[in-house]
Amino acid sequence: MTRRTWIPIAAAATLVVAVGIALVAVRPWGGAAPQAAATSNATSTSGPDVDRNAAQLRSDFLDRYVRDGRVVRTDQGGDTVSEGQAYGLLIAYANDDRETFRAIWSWTERHLLTDDHLLAWRWTPGKGVADEQPASDADLDAARALVLAGDRWDDPRYTAAGKTLAAAILEHETARTDLGTILLPGPWADQEPYRYNASYASPAAFRVLERATGDRRWGELDAGSHAATAAVLDRSDLPSDWSQVHADGSVDPMPASGDQGQVVYGWDAMRLPLRYAESCSAEDRALAGSLAPTLRRSTELAAQLDLGGSAVTSDTSALAYAARAAAERAGGAIPAASADLRRSDRTSATTRTYYGDAWAALGATMLTSNLLGGCGTDAGSAS
């Protein structure tokens, strides 16, 4: 069975298209009206234009990549992964798009839900499930989207599905270490030393699921994840895409493949500052903000950096700028964060990929609103 430890770097080669071949006009940040209006409970410290542009990015993603409820990786052969379905659920929820949310969850439930109540990772046309191993980042994002949708739209079916998925995560995708409870990348990683991807952990999702389920184990997972993330950042200026965590709490950076390749801050690790910048904990946001000094050493960011911040590729990604925007915002540098959100938008428009477009939309949403149950608009405050 193919394991996800090597996928993020392997996918990088196919994610990037030629920079400068702009298929759509680049929008000035906040300059376009959204196709689907942002919901009324959006909050932003940067003004209504930013909210509108985030909504436009979300609508663009749904229009480009969702086909009858399936989020299609059009730049990677037309397959679908559970991560993409979860991104689609979060994005549709943030846009208050009930019909698209319903279609995405219906397709996911029919094609990816396993007997363990987790989501199979990969599906391909003509074959169906090509890799039944779950990926905890997708499971966590989907569970968060479902319970949020059930609450806002008063739909007990979504609430029940989210709680069932949440319980399966705790049962199959966590482990105890001296750091506390940590999130495993999947059930296949339940062996010490544990494979660990710090960007899978989502403090905002942990908070949403604890509130929805009343299960205090989510608080334990939140605390353990913070400790593991801090341990990862104690080893280097930037987090590695993958690490291994020993039972005694020691942490070692490792290549995505597990046994070869370079240890990098890349397609996976760049999600970490976004997930921690939207946390409701000032201590979590401080972890995100600690990346800013290293990331601002270069104005232009590559899609992969070494752990000291130097480029190891000439490829670009919208996620790289969204990640730095998160670090800057978490540290209180609001103008710098806004500038990087604009760079993320421009890069997304000129380097069109499913993954980059997803994180351009999600990043803007996480950092300029609290729509997804986080506290991104509190970044830089004294709270």
Side-chain angles (χ1 to χ4, degrees), residues 347-366:
T347 305
S348 174
T350 58
T351 310
R352 183 67 65 203
T353 67
Y354 136 83
Y355 194 66
D357 287 0
W359 278 101
L362 287 170
T365 302
M366 289 173 170

Side-chain angles (χ1 to χ4, degrees), residues 105-194:
W105 176 240
S106 178
W107 190 95
T108 305
E109 194 174 30
R110 289 197 314 273
H111 296 284
L112 299 183
L113 199 61
T114 70
D115 291 341
D116 289 334
H117 306 292
L118 298 169
L119 304 180
W121 175 60
R122 185 167 178 257
W123 184 97
T124 59
K127 182 177 180 180
V129 173
D131 189 337
E132 64 184 15
Q133 289 283 5
S136 62
D137 60 330
D139 298 332
L140 190 61
D141 284 337
R144 167 163 57 159
L146 285 164
V147 299
L148 287 172
D151 181 55
R152 180 198 288 176
W153 298 330
D154 193 23
D155 192 323
R157 295 170 301 173
Y158 292 147
T159 301
K163 288 182 177 180
T164 299
L165 184 51
I169 293 168
L170 291 174
E171 180 178 356
H172 299 293
E173 297 182 321
T174 62
R176 288 287 303 173
T177 73
D178 286 354
L179 290 170
T181 304
I182 63 171
L183 183 70
L184 299 177
W188 53 267
D190 189 16
Q191 184 175 354
E192 200 275 339
Y194 303 107

Side-chain angles (χ1 to χ4, degrees), residues 57-331:
L57 289 168
R58 295 192 297 263
S59 294
D60 288 348
F61 179 85
L62 297 175
D63 289 345
R64 288 192 182 99
Y65 299 104
V66 179
R67 302 288 182 271
D68 297 322
R70 181 166 79 92
V71 179
V72 182
R73 297 200 300 182
T74 56
D75 54 312
Q76 296 187 65
D79 69 347
T80 290
V81 289
S82 56
E83 156 207 283
Q85 294 300 111
Y87 293 162
L89 289 172
L90 287 172
I91 290 169
Y93 169 79
N95 255 21
D96 202 21
D97 187 341
R98 300 189 192 192
E99 181 58 30
T100 300
F101 188 99
R102 182 203 61 77
I104 293 172
W105 176 240
S106 178
W107 190 95
T108 305
E109 194 174 30
R110 289 197 314 273
H111 296 284
L112 299 183
L113 199 61
T114 70
D115 291 341
D116 289 334
H117 306 292
L118 298 169
L119 304 180
W121 175 60
R122 185 167 178 257
W123 184 97
T124 59
K127 182 177 180 180
V129 173
D131 189 337
E132 64 184 15
Q133 289 283 5
S136 62
D137 60 330
D139 298 332
L140 190 61
D141 284 337
R144 167 163 57 159
L146 285 164
V147 299
L148 287 172
D151 181 55
R152 180 198 288 176
W153 298 330
D154 193 23
D155 192 323
R157 295 170 301 173
Y158 292 147
T159 301
K163 288 182 177 180
T164 299
L165 184 51
I169 293 168
L170 291 174
E171 180 178 356
H172 299 293
E173 297 182 321
T174 62
R176 288 287 303 173
T177 73
D178 286 354
L179 290 170
T181 304
I182 63 171
L183 183 70
L184 299 177
W188 53 267
D190 189 16
Q191 184 175 354
E192 200 275 339
Y194 303 107
R195 298 285 178 91
Y196 186 70
N197 189 315
S199 76
Y200 281 23
S202 171
F206 298 153
R207 176 175 178 264
V208 166
L209 294 175
E210 182 174 22
R211 193 169 53 214
T213 64
D215 193 326
R216 293 183 179 180
R217 289 179 294 172
W218 287 106
E220 296 172 2
L221 184 56
D222 192 7
S225 296
H226 178 95
T229 298
V232 167
L233 292 175
D234 281 344
R235 294 294 306 271
S236 54
D237 292 336
L238 296 176
S240 53
D241 280 342
W242 288 83
S243 305
Q244 61 181 6
V245 178
H246 299 266
D248 65 4
S250 59
V251 174
D252 301 312
M254 64 186 298
S257 63
D259 59 2
Q260 61 184 354
Q262 187 173 4
V263 177
V264 298
Y265 165 83
W267 305 98
D268 277 88
M270 288 177 180
R271 298 178 298 183
L272 186 153
L274 282 155
R275 294 200 186 277
Y276 277 77
E278 69 157 345
S279 174
C280 294
S281 159
E283 290 78 13
D284 283 339
R285 296 197 298 270
L287 289 179
S290 71
L291 275 60
T294 302
L295 293 176
R296 68 169 69 108
R297 290 174 185 169
S298 301
T299 302
E300 302 298 322
L301 289 175
Q304 290 178 309
L305 308 176
D306 66 25
L307 302 191
S310 298
V312 297
T313 179
S314 60
D315 296 340
T316 60
S317 169
L319 175 56
Y321 293 107
R324 187 168 65 186
E328 294 285 16
R329 185 170 183 81

Side-chain angles (χ1 to χ4, degrees), residues 8-27:
I9 286 182
T14 59
L15 276 171
V16 178
V17 296
V19 178
I21 305 178
L23 301 180
V24 297
V26 180
R27 295 180 301 278

